[in-house]
Amino acid sequence: MRMLLALLASLALTACNLSPMYAGGGTSAAAQGIAAVEIPAIQGRGGWLVKNALDARLGVAGQTTPQYRLDIRLDDSLEALGVLNDDTISRERRILRARYQLVELATGAILLDATAGSDAGIDVVSSEYATIAAEQKALENLALEVADRVATQVAVTLRARAAGPQVQAP
């Protein structure tokens, strides 16, 4: 019974024209496209973290001659959320937002112009060291999450570009 359900599910997916993003492994159009993305340096510690995470995600198919450039501007903010009666802060919120553009180097055309972001809550404790460590760890986690979102959107854009215009059946 399970085999029959799995077979029916796979047939339903192929009927919808769904296919895995990286079908074909490192030789797929999506993998080759993301391998050709150059990421210039991004300002700040958060920028360094996001760039390293993107290099790790987009460089899985190896290195090729850059055909695209991914320009990223980050906005990293820390704001007080919980204020106690004695005006001390008990909770903070760290927000990391990225505005990014995927530019085709040959033509200068902007293929993707989007934003990605995430936020994290931080407990402010009596130890200043512990609070600073929590703020830094939150930035590291947010950088990974933002990089994941950016990498996914870039891969989807390059995959759609490689596939070319699709003609929909009536």
Side-chain angles (χ1 to χ4, degrees):
M1 185 65 174
R2 284 185 176 175
M3 293 295 281
L4 181 61
L5 286 174
L7 179 63
L8 290 174
S10 67
L11 290 175
L13 286 177
T14 56
C16 295
N17 273 340
L18 291 178
S19 64
M21 172 76 73
Y22 300 105
T27 60
S28 69
Q32 292 301 309
I34 63 173
V37 174
E38 170 189 49
I39 306 166
I42 308 167
Q43 289 187 332
R45 184 171 193 276
W48 180 78
L49 292 167
V50 169
K51 181 181 179 348
N52 285 345
L54 282 169
D55 284 340
R57 282 159 183 72
L58 299 180
V60 292
Q63 296 295 323
T64 63
T65 303
Q67 297 176 13
Y68 309 99
R69 184 183 70 242
L70 185 60
D71 295 326
I72 301 175
R73 285 193 326 262
L74 288 182
D75 179 26
D76 178 20
S77 63
L78 193 61
E79 59 185 43
L81 280 182
V83 180
L84 302 176
N85 290 338
D86 61 354
D87 288 334
T88 59
I89 299 169
S90 64
R91 190 128 174 97
E92 294 176 330
R93 179 175 163 194
R94 184 154 213 161
I95 304 165
L96 185 65
R97 301 276 182 254
R99 167 88 192 263
Y100 58 98
Q101 293 181 327
L102 183 65
V103 180
E104 186 175 33
L105 294 176
T107 64
I110 297 173
L111 306 177
L112 174 64
D113 187 357
T115 60
S118 191
D119 60 84
I122 303 164
D123 287 327
V124 177
V125 295
S126 60
S127 168
E128 188 175 333
Y129 173 77
T131 301
I132 291 170
E135 291 170 355
Q136 294 302 316
K137 185 61 177 174
L139 179 60
E140 292 170 12
N141 291 340
L142 292 174
L144 292 174
E145 192 169 329
V146 167
D148 281 340
R149 292 178 184 190
V150 171
T152 300
Q153 192 60 46
V154 167
V156 167
T157 300
L158 292 176
R159 180 177 184 232
R161 183 173 173 82
Q166 299 282 327
V167 177
Q168 296 291 329

